[in-house]
Every structure is written in structure tokens, then in C-alpha cells.
Amino acid sequence: MKNMNTNFHWKDAIIYQIYPRSFQDSNGDGIGDLNGITKRINYLKSNSLSSLGVDAIWLSPFYPSPMKDGGYDISNYCNVDPQFGTLDDFDRLLTEAHNHELRVIIDFIPNHTSNEHEWFKESRSSKNNPKRDWYIWRDGKIDGSPPNNWISVFGGPAWLFDKKTEQYYLHSFAKEQPDLNWENPQVKKTMYDVIRFWLRRGVDGIRVDAFNQVLKDYSFADDPVNPLYKEGKDDPYNRLLHTHSKDVAGKLYTLKEICNVMDEFEQKLLITEAYLEIEDLLHYYKVGQKETLSPFNFFMLRKPWKASIYKDFLKTYEKDRQVHDIGNFVLSNHDNPRIASRIGRNAARVASVLLFTLRGIPFIYYGDELGMKDGEIPSEYAQDPKEINNPGKGLSRDPARTPMQWDRKPNAGFSTGKPWLPVVSDFMIYNVKNEQNDQDSFLSLYKTLIAIRKASPALRRGSYLAIEGTEDNILTFLREEAGEKIVVVLNFSSEEKQISLPFGKSEILYHLEKKDKSRIVSLKTVDIGGNDAYILRLF
Ligand code: GLC
């Protein structure tokens, strides 16, 4: 691990999510692979100006898988799927990344395996098989119907009847993803050894998939009906409140155990995935080792783009989060529509300024730095089980998983073969090559924001103080560290505004609209355009 800076701290990190299937294909089969990622490390991190300058990559799954859920259905936890390469390719990617001081985080999927995993094959083979209890098997009701009313995230009942042994097994996700039984000590031990396997190999952190699903209420009581559910409008999964099938007491004990495994190593980052209210999420911090635990905060992914809503959220997120609790912010990921599609490219530029100026790790979803939008996916391309089980309801996650847009070559330089999902139609404009040469591009915006954050102790580590009293559509806050004071002003609306701030003069570090050429402004009256933002350093 040469060149790795031992003073590195996760608090200072900027993390880039790669969906390996869609980043770079190196062998022309239309599917991205590990060697493709290795080839692109220079883009992510190098000394040259053309590099983005992130500190770590998080790789969505690349393990052997029948691909019923984009690789989140694993048939072997300790290997690489031939589509993506080999374990040697992984080791090369890791070495190359480390040589560039780029950390590597991988996905850990504890809730379920593939139905083609050897463990499940054994488990389903007979009621007496030693692995029977590794999964969750139950008899049906007297009338033969499933043991309870639980439903799958991807649609339909969460139970599937298996003729061979005449019992149902639980699958919180696709029917090809049977849930592991975390009540069984052997399951836990084996899964903790999976974590150790990758950390020993040199991996720098894990993202725990679907963490709040892992434990269930083992009374298997029915989930209550959600009184607010609107048939035909809401995701069918929201028909029930998942009081018994997820988020049950005891999950923080499991989190503590995972933290203990991570603590056997040094400085390994643990990120948990769970869509929670901010108050619930903050409880996670009470469990873990400080400064290497960062439960995902999905607020920006899901909430409407309104300054008042953001003000309230930041008040809660900031109030109870201690100095050592590492926060994080996420604009897009592989499970949700991209930010540029959700709020439009102009507002997405303002959201990017926010992402890089808040107190917590900024997560970049590959392609967001280009202003990439969701693709149009013809039905014959549909891959996502959520779409396949609920066709045409707008629930598909495929649109946010289209190939990375590198240049103007066929398939945007992603592959010489037919890509597994079609490339977004406006790739001729929005691609790395074009944007590298355009000062006003999204990519230039990202590079500038990353450089500003890296150079500013206040933005990386400083305290956060909301500045109240500005008008409704404006969000303003002060970040402060070691004598440096940075004020950030964001206009969430498309109308020009004039505001007054309770400070004297400041230097403009960044002005999104760049209309104002002066480097010094008085903060008594600040003109801010629609969808505009300032990063200001106080004197
Ligand atoms: C997580 C993943 C998602 C996957 C699901 C089941 O939510 O992010 O892509 O489908 O878990 O593993």
C-alpha cells in the first residue's frame, strides 16, 4: 500500500459510487468490469488537473451472481463474477487504487443470498439439512396460505412455497433472494468472516446493504395496514407499515457486533444503508466506534427541493450529531432517480454546491458530476425486478443505472459491444471529454467544488451554524474552523433575490452564476440570481 497517507481521516473524504456494470467495459461484452474501473482510476484520482480528485470509491456488488437483482443476489461472497473479472483483477484494482491514494469500499449484503447459493441449495434440500435453519422457513396457515401478510420490497408476498419440503421461505426482496436467518449463530459467524475476508485483502470499508431488514420480529405477526396508502399512486410496498418485518429492536446490537468486527482492523469505514427518519438515524451513532461509522443519510435523495424543508432537516441532523459523528449527504444512487432528473439541471447545480459545503462526507453517484439524467429504458431492456414485477408503474431503477458517458464515440465510450442498458440520448453533450474542455460544465463545477472543499478546513471539518432570517427560498449557513469562516448562500428558487447578511465584507470563493466579477462583497446587500449560490470567506 505505498503512498497511502497515514494522516488520512474519513471526515475529510469525498466518496464516489461506482455501479460496476455501467462504468467501463474493457472486453466488449457490453457489461462494465473491474479492469474497466482500473483503467479509469486516473479520471477519479491522479495528480493531473483533469482528475476529479475523490478520496474513495464504493463499488456496488461484483460477486458471483445470477443477476436477478443487479448482483445483490450473491451466490458466493468471496469471489468475483466472471462478468466482472477475477479475484486477481480485483487485487490489481485495489493495488492500483491504493497507489493513487484512492480507498476502496465494497458492498456487504447480509440480509439475503441468491437462491443459487450453495447454502440455500442445501437448506432447501430437506428439513433435516444442517443448513435448514440458515434461512427462514415456516409452515403455511391451515388453508395453505403464507405464514403471514408480509410483502416483498419488489412486489407480491414475501413468502414462496417450496414443494420439496412443503414449507414457505421468506424473501424480503426478489423470490430469488431468500433471507438469511440472523438468529442462527453460525450464519452470523460466517457473515462476519466474509467481512474479514475482504478487509484482510486490503479493502478500506464496507457499505451494509438493507441493514434494517436483517432482523425481523420473530413472532412473525402480521404487519399493519398503512392508512395513508393510495392505491394506484404509491409504491405497492407501502401498502403495509413494516412494523414486524423490519426495523425491529435488536438491530443496533447487530450493528455493534459488526462494528466490533471492523475494529479488529484499523480505520475501516462502515456505512449502513437504511431509509430512516433523521431522528432514528442519529441513534445509530450511539452504537459504533466513533469516526469510522457513517449511517447513510438519504434525506436529499427523497425530499422535495424546498429551502424550508432543508432548513428543518439540517436543524435536526446538526443538533444531535456530535463533532466526531461523521455525517454524509447523497444526491443520487443506484436505487433512485438522478438528481438532475428529479429537480432539473439548474437546481441540481445548486444542490451540488450544497453537497460539498455541508458537514459530512459528500457521496457522488457516477455520472452526476456530468449532470447525467435518467435514461429511457425500452421495456425489452428491463432488468430491475421492481419493474418486472410492477411493469409500467414508474418504479424501475434501471433509468438511473445507464452507462457512464465518457466521450462522443459510439456508446459514449463505455463499450465497443452492445451495452446492457442503452446510453442516455444526450450523451453527445454530457460526457467527460466535452465537459473537461468547458469551464461552465457540470464537471468543471464539481472539480472546482471539490478543490474548494479540500482547501478549506472550515468546509471539511468546521462547525455548522444556520443563519436565520433570510427569506424563505434562501438557505444560508456558516461553517467555521481554526479561524476560517465560510458563509454559504443558496437560492432554491429561479427568481433573483436581494438579501442582507449580518456580516461585514467577504471574499468570494465561488459564485455559481459568475455574473459578479468582484472578488470582495459587502454582505449588507447581496444580489443572488435564480438557482444561484455563493461560497464566501469572511474577513
Ligand atoms: C439495497 C440495494 C438495492 C437492492 C436491495 C436488495 O437497497 O441498494 O439495489 O436491490 O438492497 O439487496
Side-chain angles (χ1 to χ4, degrees):
M1 243 203 259
K2 65 174 189 200
N3 290 342
M4 291 279 268
N5 171 6
T6 45
N7 290 326
F8 171 82
H9 199 293
W10 284 109
K11 248 186 201 172
D12 297 330
I14 295 172
I15 303 181
Y16 187 92
Q17 182 191 352
I18 292 181
Y19 196 66
R21 263 179 138 182
S22 300
F23 197 59
Q24 177 68 66
D25 175 17
S26 71
N27 61 2
D29 64 359
I31 298 168
D33 45 45
L34 297 180
N35 287 340
I37 299 171
T38 308
K39 218 173 100 187
R40 294 294 188 178
I41 282 176
N42 265 329
Y43 166 71
L44 300 165
K45 182 79 181 263
S46 77
N47 291 328
S48 81
L49 277 177
S50 58
S51 129
L52 199 57
V54 298
D55 303 288
I57 49 177
W58 150 37
L59 305 176
S60 286
F62 49 80
Y63 318 105
S65 163
M67 292 288 162
K68 296 292 181 198
D69 181 23
Y72 282 91
D73 48 322
I74 297 175
S75 53
N76 179 350
Y77 282 92
C78 298
N79 213 330
V80 172
D81 193 284
Q83 283 188 22
F84 295 118
T86 62
L87 260 182
D88 283 347
D89 293 334
F90 179 80
D91 289 341
R92 256 194 309 278
L93 162 57
L94 196 60
T95 307
E96 197 53 26
H98 285 167
N99 286 344
H100 286 75
E101 219 170 289
L102 185 67
R103 268 115 183 128
V104 178
I105 297 163
I106 59 164
D107 234 296
F108 170 62
I109 292 101
N111 182 65
H112 45 265
T113 67
S114 158
N115 59 347
E116 291 187 26
H117 198 296
E118 286 307 318
W119 304 338
F120 188 69
K121 287 187 191 164
E122 283 187 45
S123 183
R124 88 190 312 179
S125 66
S126 91
K127 282 186 177 168
N128 303 323
N129 186 280
K131 293 233 164 41
R132 183 67 173 181
D133 186 50
W134 279 41
Y135 294 83
I136 300 174
W137 293 96
R138 287 289 174 282
D139 289 331
K141 291 190 178 148
I142 309 269
D143 64 359
S145 62
N148 64 20
N149 73 344
W150 293 1
I151 49 181
S152 141
V153 175
F154 296 155
W159 296 95
L160 191 71
F161 188 69
D162 203 49
K163 280 200 196 110
K164 176 119 197 255
T165 54
E166 300 198 315
Q167 277 194 315
Y168 284 86
Y169 69 84
L170 181 70
H171 61 91
S172 298
F173 293 88
K175 64 182 190 314
E176 297 87 355
Q177 291 169 297
D179 283 28
L180 283 163
N181 176 15
W182 273 71
E183 287 269 274
N184 182 316
Q186 283 177 313
V187 168
K188 282 202 204 185
K189 183 184 173 305
T190 308
M191 294 306 279
Y192 295 153
D193 282 345
V194 169
I195 299 178
R196 294 185 182 102
F197 172 86
W198 290 103
L199 295 186
R200 275 192 204 116
R201 248 188 149 77
V203 156
D204 303 288
I206 60 167
R207 172 255 190 200
V208 185
D209 183 73
F211 176 70
N212 53 341
Q213 233 104 10
V214 171
L215 295 191
K216 288 80 178 149
D217 172 351
Y218 294 94
S219 75
F220 292 96
D222 275 358
D223 273 338
V225 168
N226 175 3
L228 302 178
Y229 176 69
K230 289 185 213 73
E231 182 79 45
K233 196 163 172 275
D234 294 341
D235 180 339
Y237 182 60
N238 296 335
R239 191 160 57 75
L240 300 181
L241 298 171
H242 307 287
T243 325
H244 301 288
S245 52
K246 67 181 211 183
D247 270 325
V248 300
K251 67 181 176 180
L252 293 184
Y253 180 74
T254 306
L255 181 61
K256 179 75 195 144
E257 285 189 348
I258 299 178
C259 287
N260 291 344
V261 175
M262 305 296 285
D263 273 349
E264 294 168 16
F265 301 79
E266 260 176 48
Q267 277 266 310
K268 304 288 186 188
L269 184 68
L270 175 63
I271 309 156
T272 48
E273 186 220 19
Y275 289 81
L276 301 170
E277 293 304 322
I278 298 298
E279 291 83 353
D280 292 344
L281 187 154
L282 291 168
H283 284 128
Y284 282 45
Y285 286 110
K286 299 200 179 117
V287 169
Q289 76 285 54
K290 305 294 179 195
E291 309 201 316
T292 46
L293 170 69
S294 194
F296 256 139
N297 153 27
F298 289 136
F299 180 90
M300 292 172 98
L301 259 182
R302 291 275 167 107
K303 294 291 180 199
W305 179 243
K306 281 190 91 177
S308 54
I309 295 180
Y310 273 67
K311 283 177 195 175
D312 286 349
F313 142 65
L314 285 166
K315 203 179 269 171
T316 320
Y317 195 43
E318 286 301 332
K319 188 168 70 93
D320 293 327
R321 195 158 48 89
Q322 308 299 313
V323 179
H324 42 251
D325 295 335
I326 312 183
N328 60 68
F329 296 91
V330 182
L331 296 180
S332 306
N333 68 15
H334 64 295
D335 292 328
N336 292 277
R338 286 184 180 274
I339 183 79
S341 289
R342 265 187 293 127
I343 65 175
R345 284 203 174 99
N346 288 340
R349 288 169 71 90
V350 183
S352 311
V353 177
L354 188 55
L355 177 71
F356 290 104
T357 52
L358 285 170
R359 190 172 77 94
I361 298 176
F363 273 81
I364 306 170
Y365 182 48
Y366 83 95
D368 263 14
E369 76 276 23
L370 307 174
M372 252 176 88
K373 283 198 169 182
D374 291 344
E376 303 253 331
I377 312 294
S379 55
E380 69 271 19
Y381 271 93
Q383 304 268 340
D384 181 6
K386 195 144 190 170
E387 172 64 19
I388 293 168
N389 294 346
N390 310 277
K393 293 217 166 78
L395 297 175
S396 179
R397 297 169 298 171
D398 292 333
R401 298 174 176 180
T402 61
M404 176 69 173
Q405 297 162 196
W406 293 105
D407 52 39
R408 296 160 69 112
K409 292 197 204 115
N411 305 324
F414 162 70
S415 173
T416 52
K418 186 179 174 215
W420 72 283
L421 282 181
V423 171
V424 178
S425 55
D426 61 6
F427 82 87
M428 292 292 267
I429 306 167
Y430 297 95
N431 63 64
V432 173
K433 191 94 189 278
N434 266 9
E435 297 195 29
Q436 263 167 352
N437 302 321
D438 173 4
Q439 281 199 343
D440 294 327
S441 68
F442 242 96
L443 186 56
S444 297
L445 169 69
Y446 263 66
K447 282 189 196 163
T448 308
L449 291 171
I450 290 172
I452 290 175
R453 185 177 177 92
K454 297 228 137 178
S456 162
L459 289 180
R460 287 197 321 275
R461 296 194 171 199
S463 57
Y464 170 96
L465 183 73
I467 300 171
E468 315 277 352
T470 49
E471 79 133 273
D472 284 355
N473 291 310
I474 305 276
L475 176 67
T476 314
F477 54 88
L478 171 72
R479 305 285 319 276
E480 186 172 354
E481 171 82 9
E484 188 191 33
K485 292 183 182 179
I486 302 273
V487 170
V488 181
V489 187
L490 306 126
N491 186 353
F492 277 54
S493 80
S494 51
E495 283 151 39
E496 208 174 306
K497 308 271 172 192
Q498 189 172 74
I499 57 160
S500 175
L501 293 170
F503 304 105
K505 285 191 172 169
S506 80
E507 172 196 1
I508 300 178
L509 284 187
Y510 191 67
H511 181 192
L512 188 56
E513 286 294 303
K514 294 190 200 74
K515 279 184 209 129
D516 188 342
K517 291 273 184 280
S518 84
R519 302 304 299 160
I520 311 282
V521 279
S522 154
L523 298 183
K524 293 283 167 274
T525 44
V526 182
D527 291 314
I528 181 162
N531 292 313
D532 194 5
Y534 282 101
I535 305 175
L536 306 160
R537 184 185 277 138
L538 299 187
F539 286 120

